[in-house]
Amino acid sequence: MIYITLLNIAIFQGIVLGLIILKTSLFNSNSNKYLAYLLFALSIILLNHVFEIQEAFTPYPFLRFIDHIEWIFLIPAFLFLFIINRIEDAVKSKQKKYLCFIPFAYSAVLNIARDLDGVAGFYNIPKSGINVIEILGLFQLILALTFIPFLLFYSYFMIKHLKDSKEKKWIITLLTIVSSMVFAFLIIYLTGLFFQYDISSTMSVLALCATFIIHWTAYVGIYKYKLAKNKEAVYNFLNADLTLSYSNLQIVENFSAEEYREPIASDNLYFQKLELLCKEQHIYTDSTLNREKVAEKLGISPGYVSLIINTITGDNFANYINQYRVEAVKEMMANSEYENYNLLAMGLESGFTSKTTFYKAFKKATGQTPNEYKNTIK
């Protein structure tokens, strides 16, 4: 059946793409890992749908434990965490991330407790207990109708803190597509619950939408924006070549300066990775950071690190890193949360090793001393 084949392909791609994001240093970041978890959650939802179509729950009733867990609670949570981990620390630090998983944890405990009776037969819930579980189940429904929409709308609000316009555009599109699918699911589910309609056909359409999200995320997030080094492998992956193994999709990590002979340009893949390390992992805050440490992270030689930075930025390694440190200090100056910090503390917090190097780098980057610059922004 073509429909089942499409679902299986999407499940496979979602799992493999998630593993690639988690296992390769070019993709792996505090934000991207939540994108991988989002793909895993979508794959599990699709897998449960396939189990239902294939009537796998009859011969294997214990699969009901997976099916009855409301994985839909994870979709807005992972999407929200993906977004807030791409914004500046001052905003990100205010978010209580653990709260995102409370509805899912509540739902999982409730449904597992119910299945230990109805599926596994480990114990029998008394009639009074069934009434309590029904009330708790109603609260689960209320959570779904309040928590999920709130977190999706709040995610739109947080997107305004993204600075890269191109990145903002594709994330808004991703959020809109996922939100539309989730809201459609809630509407269809409530229709079936209260009006006793057969929702299997409409759920099948939603399953196809989920496969589209997986394909689209792979294409736009990885292939189109050139986040992967091996484009040909990703292209084959997007075209569902199931003969590809995971090793075929691995991104080459260990080119040396002699082996990597492509012309050095602004879209150099190692430079892109270095930019990600600075912007997302803030490696410049390490006061002991040097070319050797960066080279180890990139899987290239220290000399090639210098060559890339010199060619693309026209500056040396130390000045390149200090530019990020200066920008971090400027952001602290403009942020009321750091008003009690003195200037030297801001410099040290951003990775400078002494007052002399801090003031010298700041004056070189801005043409002003830290004190002069701070006075101009008051």
Side-chain angles (χ1 to χ4, degrees), residues 263-290:
I264 297 176
S266 59
D267 63 348
N268 178 276
L269 296 162
Y270 291 112
F271 185 72
Q272 288 182 359
K273 181 178 176 180
L274 176 57
E275 292 273 87
L276 286 174
L277 289 171
C278 290
K279 292 177 180 178
E280 296 193 2
Q281 299 186 22
H282 310 293
I283 60 171
Y284 54 83
T285 58
D286 177 3
S287 60
T288 65
L289 188 71
N290 54 29

Side-chain angles (χ1 to χ4, degrees), residues 282-309:
H282 310 293
I283 60 171
Y284 54 83
T285 58
D286 177 3
S287 60
T288 65
L289 188 71
N290 54 29
R291 288 190 316 156
E292 286 70 25
K293 285 187 176 181
V294 171
E296 184 178 353
K297 290 178 180 293
L298 298 179
I300 56 179
S301 67
Y304 193 46
V305 171
S306 294
L307 180 61
I308 291 172
I309 293 174

Side-chain angles (χ1 to χ4, degrees), residues 155-302:
S155 297
Y156 277 105
F157 175 77
M158 297 304 294
I159 285 177
K160 72 177 184 180
H161 296 289
L162 293 172
K163 295 180 179 179
D164 189 321
S165 59
K166 183 181 290 187
E167 178 185 50
K168 184 183 294 186
K169 182 178 179 181
W170 95 265
I171 290 179
I172 288 175
T173 306
L174 174 65
L175 178 58
T176 302
I177 293 172
V178 174
S179 298
S180 300
M181 185 195 73
V182 171
F183 282 123
F185 169 82
L186 291 176
I187 293 170
I188 293 168
Y189 178 79
L190 288 175
T191 301
L193 183 65
F194 290 110
F195 297 100
Q196 302 300 312
Y197 288 155
D198 181 5
I199 61 174
S200 58
S201 59
T202 48
M203 283 298 183
S204 296
V205 174
L206 281 181
L208 287 177
C209 292
T211 67
F212 168 78
I213 290 172
I214 293 174
H215 287 293
W216 184 83
T217 302
Y219 175 72
V220 177
I222 293 179
Y223 184 73
K224 186 176 179 181
Y225 285 103
K226 302 177 182 179
L227 297 179
K229 296 176 183 176
N230 191 344
K231 289 186 184 180
E232 183 179 357
V234 175
Y235 177 81
N236 292 332
F237 166 69
L238 293 172
N239 283 274
D241 183 357
L242 298 183
T243 61
L244 286 174
S245 66
Y246 178 74
S247 60
N248 294 131
L249 294 171
Q250 284 288 351
I251 294 172
V252 181
E253 293 284 344
N254 296 314
F255 281 107
S256 67
E258 293 74 26
E259 292 170 327
Y260 194 82
R261 300 186 181 277
E262 290 187 14
I264 297 176
S266 59
D267 63 348
N268 178 276
L269 296 162
Y270 291 112
F271 185 72
Q272 288 182 359
K273 181 178 176 180
L274 176 57
E275 292 273 87
L276 286 174
L277 289 171
C278 290
K279 292 177 180 178
E280 296 193 2
Q281 299 186 22
H282 310 293
I283 60 171
Y284 54 83
T285 58
D286 177 3
S287 60
T288 65
L289 188 71
N290 54 29
R291 288 190 316 156
E292 286 70 25
K293 285 187 176 181
V294 171
E296 184 178 353
K297 290 178 180 293
L298 298 179
I300 56 179
S301 67

Side-chain angles (χ1 to χ4, degrees), residues 334-351:
N335 192 328
S336 60
E337 288 191 7
Y338 297 94
E339 59 184 9
N340 293 326
Y341 279 52
N342 62 45
L343 292 175
L344 179 57
M346 292 181 186
L348 297 176
E349 187 81 12
S350 300

Side-chain angles (χ1 to χ4, degrees), residues 27-48:
F27 294 142
N28 192 7
S29 67
N30 287 333
S31 60
N32 285 346
K33 69 180 181 182
Y34 292 109
L35 183 61
Y37 299 153
L38 173 65
L39 293 173
F40 289 147
L42 284 173
S43 296
I44 293 172
I45 292 172
L46 288 177
L47 184 61
N48 285 330

